[in-house]
Amino acid sequence: MSDSAIISVEHVSRSVTDSTGTLTILHDIDVQLQRCQSTAIVGASGSGKSTLLAIIAGLDHPSSGTVRLDGEDLFALSEDERAGLRARKLGFVFQSFQLLGHLNALENVMLPLELLGRSDARARAAEMLDRVGLGERLKHYPRTLSGGEQQRVALARAFVVEPAVLLADEPTGSLDHATGERVMALMFEMNRESGTTLVLVTHDPAIAKRCDRQLLIEAGRLVP
């Protein structure tokens, strides 16, 4: 792993077996992602993009190979140790927002800070919601927010812990085009401000072109 790489995926494969046989989802993926770089993972539906992102996050296990996050071998750690590393190093933005419905916007953004034991969780979360244009919506619950507003809450939650890496899986997939454009502009702007390493799964070529680098996955293989 080079000094400038924050993520190193080393000969990773992923297979699943059921009554019909074995399906290989990823074949010998070997790539390094550099600090402060934005990378788009692109490919057809079912090509293995989201599986690769889940393995980078330590949420799914490779069948073989190694993933290092900031020098740590993810799969040499226990589940609890991996969860702790995710809490410290990673932010997540999902297509379906993944907000907790029983928490309001402020509480959703406070949650990762509280899990880290931060005493300034409330003030920091309010500041971050103001940054994404939701300073007047702190007490609103997800069901009362539009899709674009929910994704902005998700962005605030992801960036509030100042993650080394932001992982985004089809972040505009549930939004109309105009709303998606505004959300992506905000995400790239915040990413530049924070110097975060961005790894983005997308099917949208226009979004992919905004990244520093594109990785094309075809049938589970990284295309040179």
Side-chain angles (χ1 to χ4, degrees):
M1 183 170 175
S2 72
D3 290 342
S4 60
I6 191 165
I7 297 168
S8 182
V9 180
E10 302 168 8
H11 301 289
V12 161
S13 295
R14 179 73 170 99
S15 300
V16 294
T17 302
D18 61 18
S19 59
T20 63
T22 299
L23 172 66
T24 300
I25 302 169
L26 294 173
H27 301 259
D28 194 34
I29 304 293
D30 196 71
V31 67
Q32 294 193 346
L33 305 181
Q34 306 305 312
R35 294 177 191 277
C36 305
Q37 187 179 61
S38 58
T39 300
I41 302 175
V42 298
S45 178
S47 60
K49 306 185 302 296
S50 292
T51 298
L52 177 57
L53 196 73
I55 288 173
I56 288 172
L59 296 170
D60 192 6
H61 284 66
S63 301
S64 61
T66 302
V67 176
R68 301 183 195 279
L69 173 61
D70 207 11
E72 294 256 23
D73 182 343
L74 278 182
F75 300 102
L77 302 176
S78 69
E79 289 286 353
D80 286 347
E81 288 170 335
R82 260 198 308 280
L85 186 62
R86 276 195 295 272
R88 297 191 305 275
K89 299 281 187 179
L90 299 180
F92 296 91
V93 179
F94 301 96
Q95 176 177 338
S96 55
F97 318 132
Q98 299 288 344
L99 301 178
L100 297 178
H102 65 287
L103 300 181
N104 62 34
L106 181 64
E107 291 164 341
N108 265 283
V109 179
M110 287 173 60
L111 184 59
L113 294 171
E114 291 177 326
L115 292 173
L116 290 172
R118 292 275 294 268
S119 60
D120 61 343
R122 180 172 293 274
R124 182 75 181 111
E127 178 185 329
M128 187 58 71
L129 282 165
D130 189 56
R131 170 65 186 83
V132 300
L134 294 174
E136 302 300 317
R137 310 281 273 171
L138 304 186
K139 299 299 179 66
H140 286 67
Y141 288 84
R143 66 181 179 275
T144 69
L145 299 172
S146 69
E149 287 172 332
Q150 289 186 64
Q151 197 60 301
R152 281 189 279 153
V153 174
L155 280 178
R157 181 183 59 188
F159 279 107
V160 77
V161 295
E162 301 175 339
V165 178
L166 177 66
L167 303 177
D169 193 359
E170 299 283 9
T172 63
S174 297
L175 305 175
D176 64 76
H177 180 74
T179 302
E181 284 283 307
R182 290 193 293 272
V183 166
M184 289 310 302
L186 179 61
M187 185 162 96
F188 278 107
E189 183 182 320
M190 294 175 72
N191 194 66
R192 284 192 302 272
E193 289 174 359
S194 61
T196 301
T197 301
L198 172 64
V199 185
L200 167 69
V201 165
T202 183
H203 66 278
D204 187 331
I207 292 174
K209 286 177 182 176
R210 298 180 67 170
C211 292
D212 300 321
R213 182 183 186 189
Q214 296 181 44
L215 300 178
L216 174 60
I217 305 285
E218 289 184 355
R221 298 182 188 277
L222 189 60
V223 178

